[in-house]
Amino acid sequence: MTAPYVDLVHTLRQAFPQPVSDRVHDAYFAFSVLRTLDQVDALKSRQPLLGVSEVPDYDLARAQVMADQPRLLEEVSRQLVGYLSGMFIWGHPRAQINVVPPPTIASIIGGLLPSIYNANLVSEESSRRVAVAEVEAAAMTSRLVGYDPSQSAGVFTFGGTGTALYGVRLAIEKVFPGTMQQGLRQPAAIVCSERSHYACKTVAGWLGLGFDNVVSVPADGNNEIRPCLAETLCRDFLKNGGTIAALIATMGTTDAFGVDDLVALHGLRDRLVDEFGLERPPHLHADAVIGWAWSVFNDYDFDANPLGFRGRTVRALAAVRRKMQSLHLADSIGIDFHKTGFTPYVSSLFLVKRAADLAHLTRSRESMPYLFQSGVYHPGEYTLETSRSASGAMSALANLLLFGKNGLRALLGHVVSMAETLREQLEAHAATTVLNRGNFGPVTLFRVYPDGVDTFAMPELEQTRADHREQLREYNRYNHELFDIIQSEAMRGQGVVISLTDCYRETDYGEPVVALKSYILSPFAEEEAVGAVLESIWRARQILAERRRMTDSRA
Ligand SMILES: *Cc1c(COP(=O)(O)O)cnc(C)c1O
């Protein structure tokens, strides 16, 4: 009689891919995936979400315990599928929620393969040729952004926040050499725009610089850093004996797609170095996690326009290209393939212009005695992570191969052209106004007003005049209520899923401006989906007008 555990091991072997070719079992593996996908498919309808949206029961979740006995793979995968219920389908034309792309099949396979064979990018020893995929993806992207791949280097890491963390960590080591060894002994600042992502703060906090050492520079009406104010703030800071570790340019803000003037920030850095005789210049990091993808237009001929984008789209793409062309001026760049590169989470690339900079972060080999016995590629010597998934690198590479420059140009051009169509229609209506008019990406922030409001004058008055505070608040509420109606309609399967931002920006007198937001990243979006946004707005406006009439008549 065999021991019971032996039976269990034998059973569980079926739940692993077989180490030696076994076509029958391969079919079982593939079929398990297929059946799972079938079950997901059953959750699809015409609506932009899987299954139904329900209120999650976290108390029930906390009450769960691990069972005594194994369960069947089929049961487990069926249960797992259930957790997708209520998920938005980001690729649905009527899902226009945020900067979340639908991943391509190639990138999903790219993510899957290293999951099966468990490549670990800590080193070539544990990732073998998969390490080459990381180097290839980094080299191709380097070239796109204008770096020289023979000088630059890149590692995939845990999100855009991770890329900023690498950038600032490098910055600290450059202004205070030896910090890796001795620790941080004096304060240093990070300078970035008030529109920068909160990742700058996260990083400052986690690296021991502190939130208080993030110098937030006011942005202009186009959500771009004001370089002259950055200069003033930096000067004052240096005059008072402070150290600036890093300047961070935001190349594509999260909400509005504002793009900082990197040429100006680069010039500013050089002037500060000259004027203050800085021996250790501040590091210039570009947070391009969103904007990087527009680099594919760096060598696009907008005059000949071989892809045939329409005029308004050409203007929008060229405007972003003009800014994005200067990305190579940054000492390091953060890139998210999972934002505008159509891969699954997490696929973030940290690029440095000079690979030699990474030496600042290198630990000694002696501290890692069990690693790096062979081979030449050992990113684990300088990465924050030890185990590092190869899924991000492989899915990024998958899309670089799948798209080619023209493919990514076409996709970006398409979503921008859809956003431009939306803007055209919003601008044509008296009741709606586009807020981020000077930003030319796939995201549109807008505000809706009730009948009888002069929407040409109102946004400006709300922004600048404190005597319009009450009105601003009223229209903030109005947009909130409008959003609630649009959202609940969308959850019932009608209309579109858009989002709302509580503070698109602050008014000159310090009040938050609420805005509605349409972020189009679906390759499946067509004019009809744009029209659906407008229709949702009109229906919701009508409902609100109705409500108001009822309360008025009751009063
Ligand atoms: C999303 C975002 C980040 C954070 O990136 P994650 O990949 O979500 O960690 C940083 N900066 C900007 C501008 C972003 O939009």
Side-chain angles (χ1 to χ4, degrees):
M1 208 184 89
T2 55
Y5 87 90
V6 176
D7 287 337
L8 284 176
V9 169
H10 279 275
T11 311
L12 286 174
R13 276 183 186 160
Q14 296 306 309
F16 289 85
Q18 299 302 289
V20 174
S21 175
D22 175 342
R23 317 233 2 147
V24 174
H25 194 276
D26 259 5
Y28 171 66
F29 181 12
F31 192 69
S32 300
V33 174
L34 198 66
R35 199 141 63 170
T36 307
L37 291 181
D38 243 9
Q39 287 161 5
V40 177
D41 198 64
L43 295 177
K44 285 187 186 170
S45 60
R46 295 178 52 79
Q47 315 318 330
L49 47 97
L50 292 171
V52 288
S53 155
E54 39 191 305
V55 182
D57 186 344
Y58 295 107
D59 287 332
L60 187 62
R62 274 183 285 267
Q64 298 302 305
V65 286
M66 188 181 185
D68 280 332
Q69 290 303 324
R71 283 170 64 194
L72 293 173
L73 172 60
E74 290 70 23
E75 282 173 26
V76 174
S77 45
R78 191 173 322 119
Q79 179 169 339
L80 292 178
V81 168
Y83 296 100
L84 292 184
S85 186
M87 264 305 292
F88 292 123
I89 302 170
W90 309 110
H92 196 290
R94 284 191 284 116
Q96 304 173 13
I97 306 159
N98 221 325
V99 54
V100 186
T104 64
I105 297 171
S107 69
I108 294 167
I109 292 175
L112 182 65
L113 287 176
S115 297
I116 303 174
Y117 288 97
N118 233 3
N120 182 347
L121 284 178
V122 65
S123 158
E124 182 184 315
E125 285 166 353
S126 48
S127 51
R128 297 289 154 186
R129 228 187 134 229
V130 178
V132 176
E134 173 166 60
V135 175
E136 287 183 6
M140 285 187 197
T141 316
S142 273
R143 258 193 203 90
L144 274 187
V145 299
Y147 277 177
D148 171 0
S150 71
Q151 302 290 315
S152 66
V155 281
F156 280 79
T157 185
F158 60 92
T161 304
T163 63
L165 187 89
Y166 271 87
V168 175
R169 186 63 196 83
L170 202 53
I172 293 174
E173 207 58 33
K174 283 165 81 178
V175 291
F176 299 143
T179 305
M180 263 311 210
Q181 186 68 35
Q182 291 134 19
L184 189 63
R185 285 143 178 231
Q186 12 174 358
I190 302 176
V191 179
C192 54
S193 132
E194 62 173 339
R195 290 277 153 266
S196 68
H197 193 268
Y198 65 76
C200 297
K201 277 212 166 135
T202 307
V203 163
W206 281 71
L207 288 176
L209 297 173
F211 295 165
D212 290 348
N213 285 306
V214 178
V215 177
S216 172
V217 181
D220 65 15
N222 289 337
N223 304 298
E224 295 162 18
I225 197 167
R226 303 169 92 129
C228 54
L229 289 183
E231 183 142 3
T232 311
L233 286 169
C234 286
R235 279 228 167 94
D236 287 350
F237 194 81
L238 292 172
K239 268 186 209 145
N240 290 327
T243 304
I244 298 172
L247 295 168
I248 299 183
T250 309
M251 305 302 279
T253 62
T254 316
D255 251 354
F257 204 75
V259 185
D260 285 350
D261 185 343
L262 195 48
V263 176
L265 291 176
H266 184 260
L268 158 63
R269 194 258 306 262
D270 287 353
R271 273 196 303 284
L272 293 176
V273 168
D274 281 349
E275 216 177 295
F276 291 84
L278 301 176
E279 256 172 63
R280 307 204 166 94
H283 181 88
L284 184 57
H285 178 76
D287 181 356
V289 299
I290 292 184
W292 70 274
W294 271 252
S295 303
V296 291
F297 291 106
N298 281 352
D299 54 357
Y300 183 69
D301 184 345
F302 281 113
D303 293 326
N305 190 22
L307 291 176
F309 297 118
R310 69 190 179 109
R312 221 181 133 118
T313 307
V314 166
R315 200 171 47 125
L317 297 174
V320 178
R321 196 255 309 257
R322 194 171 51 76
K323 302 275 204 48
M324 219 54 74
Q325 259 172 338
S326 54
L327 260 187
H328 65 94
L329 293 175
D331 299 314
S332 60
I333 306 176
I335 285 166
D336 274 357
F337 285 89
H338 63 234
K339 288 230 172 113
T340 43
F342 301 93
T343 69
Y345 292 119
V346 170
S347 181
S348 297
L349 173 62
F350 172 70
L351 280 181
V352 274
K353 189 174 194 166
R354 288 166 293 268
D357 269 2
L358 291 170
H360 291 293
L361 305 180
T362 304
R363 288 171 294 269
S364 69
R365 286 251 175 138
E366 298 82 75
S367 61
M368 307 166 282
Y370 48 89
L371 288 172
F372 319 134
Q373 301 305 322
S374 68
V376 294
Y377 185 66
H378 308 300
E381 288 176 347
Y382 48 80
T383 55
L384 169 62
E385 303 97 324
T386 299
S387 295
R388 199 158 56 87
S389 165
S391 291
M394 285 278 274
S395 53
L397 181 63
N399 277 356
L400 291 168
L401 296 171
L402 179 76
F403 293 150
K405 282 189 201 168
N406 270 342
L408 193 49
R409 285 169 184 154
L411 286 174
L412 296 175
H414 177 69
V415 294
V416 166
S417 122
M418 287 299 113
E420 288 292 327
T421 305
L422 175 62
R423 284 166 179 230
E424 240 170 348
Q425 299 194 17
L426 289 170
E427 280 160 5
H429 276 283
T432 47
T433 196
V434 175
L435 296 176
N436 64 333
R437 238 173 247 178
N439 307 128
F440 297 100
V443 59
T444 307
L445 288 139
F446 58 98
R447 233 161 124 78
V448 182
Y449 295 91
D451 283 338
V453 176
D454 176 358
T455 51
F456 282 105
M458 187 52 73
E460 175 73 17
L461 291 171
E462 285 179 325
Q463 175 64 32
T464 53
R465 297 253 308 260
D467 60 344
H468 277 67
R469 188 187 302 267
E470 276 319 306
Q471 242 151 4
L472 172 92
R473 287 183 177 167
E474 184 191 331
Y475 298 140
N476 274 353
R477 272 195 302 276
Y478 183 82
N479 278 273
H480 250 291
E481 287 170 20
L482 198 88
F483 173 73
D484 289 341
I485 295 170
I486 294 175
Q487 188 74 354
S488 58
E489 199 182 47
M491 289 305 167
R492 288 197 308 272
Q494 271 189 327
V496 284
V497 201
I498 54 174
S499 54
L500 172 129
T501 176
D502 268 319
C503 184
Y504 159 60
R505 72 157 74 118
E506 278 189 359
T507 62
D508 301 353
Y509 48 96
E511 288 277 333
V513 178
V514 168
L516 300 172
K517 172 163 133 183
S518 151
Y519 215 123
I520 303 181
L521 273 183
S522 168
F524 299 94
E526 290 293 345
E527 308 244 331
E528 185 201 355
V530 170
V533 178
L534 276 300
E535 284 156 26
S536 285
I537 296 171
W538 305 143
R539 276 196 300 273
R541 264 182 105 246
Q542 200 124 36
I543 291 170
L544 283 181
E546 208 75 23
R547 274 188 202 162
R548 182 164 300 192
R549 257 197 299 282
M550 304 243 294
T551 39
D552 285 354
S553 70
R554 248 186 254 130

